[in-house]
Amino acid sequence: MPSNDIRDVYRQLVLKLEERSRLGGVMGVMHWDQEVIMPKGAADARAKQMAALAGVLHEKSINPRVGNLIDKLTASGTDEFTDAEWCNIREAKREFDLETKIPKELVQEIAELGSRGHQVWAKAREENRFEDFAPILERFISLKTKWAEHAFPDLEPYDANLDIFERGMTMERLSPIFDYLKIELVPLVRSINNSDRKPDDSFLEGDFPIDKQEALGNSISRDMGFNFDKGRMDVSVHPFCGGGHPTDVRITTRYRTNNFIESLFAVIHETGHGLYEQGRMEDSLDLPVSEPLTMAVHESQSLFWERMIAQGKSFSIRYIDKFREVFPGFLKVASADKLFKAINVCRPSFIRVEADELTYPIHIILRYEIEKAMFDGTLMVKDIPEVWNSKMEKYLGIKPSTDTLGVLQDVHWSGGAFGYFPSYTLGAMYACQFYNKMITDLKDVPGRIEQGDFACIRKWLNEKIHQQGRLYSPDQLAKKVTGKALEPGVFINYLKTKYNAIYGLN
Ligand code: ZN
């Protein structure tokens, strides 16, 4: 095909992709509105509006004309296109294939089970009745297995589910990584539990007016570089980062008056996500090439700021005076070192979202092992609570007294999101590996943090990760940034060094 013609085909595809991205942005704003300011009475109407819009988006994405454009472009094999343009074509093809390969009835059944599943799960969790939720879970595994056969016929069903969140990740790759983490972390958590040295974190409780927390969160988010001309911060039941566009990034937090750390760290976490969105490549904001790479890489950006920066000692040194100023009376006796230790207390608990840095991966590994076994048929749904509880006891030394505190705690399975959980820990590992490289690229990172000089850190992340969009696979990106593909040993070394020091082990 002559060069002008193939360029024209590409331009037509770009128009379709931009339209899709814009409609997706409308959905993002509607979702934010629903979670943040929508009156309760509008819930039903809003659900229908969003379903209607989802239908429009689906119709557009299975349009055979789009398939035609993609076919022409992939068949051309031309060297006309830049890497970024090829990336847009590749991403369009992945999306189109996924949307068109699944029979319509299956898509509908999954959507319906998702909305019913959520209600059944919420009630079952409240009433501690796993048996009410079990049939939904059984049906979902069967539907998601069928879905996998259509979506990725070459992959094992669970691998196909993983691929949606972390493309390229398979059980073959992930199981040895998680086994290694488990072998290292379970004994470490046990030694911490048995250690006599327990950092005091009782002084973190107090009375913290919400308006002051809000002002503090705002100013730290600003210090990190969040652009409030292209974003907002509000309140929702569960903190999230959403919005309609990289120029309209909405982050949220929630407040408790007896503790400000939880809310502040939610702000820092969501700001990390927000910086990724705001930092996308300027000339392709409405195209797939600029989109965040995967769930795990997104999480690496929030955890980079939350764990690697804000849970480090330099951050406590930087902000302790500010905290004292905002909350007079608070931390009168505490030093930056005590504050650092208090926000890094390791304490096994039942609930994943409340877990600390060290026990969090264990919560994830437990879920991964259970999901894997559900899909390969070695674990029956009715036996999940028992397996869950015995793993909790074996790995963390605690056994939940109810399923509400155990298998029923997470929302993910009620919507059929299997294969999602590993992203959290993969993200933590990437964050650690990126940080390790950053401190060799930039001089005196701890000193810079103590000075509040976050611009160089943000710039480093922006160049190395945000601006790379979807040009590379996660492993290629890790290699490009750090010289190595994902290396779990870096994460384990970091955790051991940090927590051995805090708890005086070895
Ligand atoms: Zn996150």
Side-chain angles (χ1 to χ4, degrees):
M1 195 183 286
S3 151
N4 271 348
D5 293 359
I6 198 77
R7 275 269 144 220
D8 190 51
V9 174
Y10 179 73
R11 267 190 295 273
Q12 290 177 48
L13 179 68
V14 162
L15 291 177
K16 297 280 177 203
L17 292 174
E18 285 175 339
E19 183 190 37
R20 194 185 149 71
S21 157
R22 286 159 193 163
L23 289 171
V26 175
M27 186 74 109
V29 175
M30 280 168 79
H31 175 261
W32 173 87
D33 178 272
Q34 170 183 279
E35 300 297 315
V36 176
I37 51 171
M38 185 187 79
K40 237 184 4 209
D44 194 38
R46 177 59 51 87
K48 286 174 183 156
Q49 290 163 348
M50 285 170 73
L53 182 53
V56 171
L57 269 162
H58 177 69
E59 281 304 317
K60 288 193 176 288
S61 59
I62 59 169
N63 179 350
R65 277 203 54 216
V66 175
N68 251 325
L69 297 173
I70 295 170
D71 285 345
K72 277 187 194 155
L73 290 164
T74 41
S76 74
T78 171
D79 50 16
E80 277 281 312
F81 297 129
T82 62
D83 288 351
E85 288 167 336
W86 273 122
C87 176
N88 285 326
I89 297 167
R90 216 167 46 231
E91 291 294 321
K93 181 166 167 46
R94 177 174 158 106
E95 189 71 29
F96 182 80
D97 286 351
L98 270 175
E99 296 273 354
T100 50
K101 276 194 216 158
I102 322 290
K104 205 173 165 193
E105 310 75 62
L106 185 57
V107 174
Q108 266 169 359
E109 207 182 336
I110 289 174
E112 277 162 25
L113 190 64
S115 63
R116 193 155 54 86
H118 188 268
Q119 291 171 23
V120 173
W121 163 76
K123 194 157 178 281
R125 179 169 82 153
E126 206 180 300
E127 297 170 356
N128 187 36
R129 287 176 59 86
F130 178 76
E131 62 274 27
D132 292 352
F133 181 54
I136 301 275
L137 199 46
E138 258 158 21
R139 186 75 194 133
F140 248 136
I141 291 160
S142 133
L143 291 180
K144 282 294 198 162
T145 302
K146 259 192 228 161
W147 168 89
E149 283 156 11
H150 291 286
F152 299 98
D154 302 336
L155 296 181
E156 296 282 331
Y158 185 59
D159 283 344
N161 281 274
L162 279 172
D163 204 273
I164 289 298
F165 302 106
E166 192 61 12
R167 52 181 74 187
M169 187 49 77
T170 58
M171 293 178 274
E172 196 184 351
R173 175 96 196 281
L174 195 51
S175 293
I177 294 177
F178 278 179
D179 283 344
Y180 165 66
L181 295 190
K182 195 166 73 176
I183 287 167
E184 295 289 343
L185 295 182
V186 168
L188 180 56
V189 170
R190 198 174 302 136
S191 323
I192 286 174
N193 261 332
N194 296 335
S195 159
D196 295 333
R197 202 193 284 194
K198 302 267 186 250
D200 173 27
D201 62 348
S202 60
F203 63 86
L204 295 179
E205 299 286 309
D207 186 22
F208 307 99
I210 287 173
D211 57 334
K212 289 187 172 182
Q213 290 194 52
E214 192 186 337
L216 177 68
N218 248 290
S219 84
I220 291 183
S221 183
R222 225 176 271 275
D223 290 350
M224 290 165 61
F226 189 74
N227 181 348
F228 280 86
D229 288 333
K230 295 180 176 176
R232 295 180 50 89
M233 189 178 105
D234 295 272
V235 178
S236 64
V237 178
H238 302 287
F240 69 94
C241 171
H245 196 256
T247 57
D248 181 10
V249 178
R250 317 278 179 103
I251 59 174
T252 69
T253 186
R254 59 180 165 202
Y255 298 106
R256 285 201 297 148
T257 50
N258 62 343
N259 180 317
F260 76 98
I261 292 291
E262 187 189 311
S263 163
L264 179 62
F265 274 67
V267 170
I268 292 168
H269 181 99
E270 301 309 334
T271 299
H273 283 304
L275 291 175
Y276 193 1
E277 295 289 347
Q278 289 185 339
R280 286 162 56 171
M281 46 181 98
E282 285 282 340
D283 57 357
S284 300
L285 290 181
D286 291 322
L287 289 171
V289 65
S290 81
E291 280 174 35
L293 184 51
T294 60
M295 290 301 301
V297 176
H298 224 312
E299 203 59 17
S300 82
Q301 297 308 292
S302 52
L303 293 177
F304 189 98
W305 288 97
E306 182 188 352
R307 302 261 173 84
M308 309 312 299
I309 305 290
Q311 281 182 240
K313 197 181 279 183
S314 309
F315 193 86
S316 284
I317 295 172
R318 169 68 190 167
Y319 282 108
I320 191 161
D321 287 336
K322 170 106 183 174
F323 295 162
R324 285 187 177 123
E325 182 193 311
V326 175
F327 306 115
F330 169 69
L331 295 180
K332 253 192 201 126
V333 288
S335 60
D337 185 58
K338 278 187 178 165
L339 177 61
F340 160 69
K341 286 176 177 153
I343 56 184
N344 283 289
V345 160
C346 167
R347 194 178 285 136
S349 62
F350 298 122
I351 303 296
R352 175 184 59 84
V353 296
E354 293 166 7
D356 55 75
E357 181 176 32
L358 206 49
T359 55
Y360 202 106
I362 300 175
H363 286 269
I364 296 303
I365 293 166
L366 173 151
R367 285 156 178 77
Y368 169 73
E369 290 174 344
I370 288 177
E371 287 188 342
K372 194 166 154 279
M374 289 195 285
F375 273 88
D376 69 22
T378 53
L379 175 60
M380 297 284 107
V381 165
K382 67 172 172 47
D383 299 326
I384 295 176
E386 200 190 312
V387 171
W388 182 290
N389 295 346
S390 73
K391 281 183 190 289
M392 278 297 285
E393 190 159 31
K394 197 164 148 208
Y395 301 164
L396 285 175
I398 52 173
K399 195 171 175 175
S401 54
T402 66
D403 290 334
T404 301
L405 290 173
V407 62
L408 286 173
Q409 67 182 274
D410 295 307
V411 68
H412 304 60
W413 292 346
S414 76
F418 304 103
Y420 186 119
F421 289 118
S423 305
Y424 296 112
T425 292
L426 287 165
M429 289 191 277
Y430 282 127
C432 189
Q433 196 168 326
F434 292 152
Y435 183 83
N436 234 30
K437 181 63 169 71
M438 188 193 69
I439 56 178
T440 64
D441 284 359
L442 303 175
K443 278 199 194 80
D444 189 24
V445 168
R448 287 170 191 256
I449 298 171
E450 284 171 34
Q451 295 304 310
D453 173 16
F454 297 114
C456 59
I457 297 174
R458 188 182 68 254
K459 192 162 160 274
W460 189 90
L461 291 171
N462 185 255
E463 272 170 22
K464 305 279 178 185
I465 293 137
H466 309 166
Q467 291 282 313
Q468 305 306 318
R470 295 198 163 175
L471 287 169
Y472 308 98
S473 72
D475 261 340
Q476 285 170 337
L477 181 70
K479 226 177 245 172
K480 195 166 180 293
V481 177
T482 71
K484 297 233 165 99
L486 182 64
E487 248 194 322
V490 174
F491 183 54
I492 291 297
N493 281 341
Y494 152 76
L495 291 175
K496 278 186 166 171
T497 309
K498 178 174 171 180
Y499 287 90
N500 281 340
I502 293 176
Y503 282 89
L505 307 170
N506 286 349

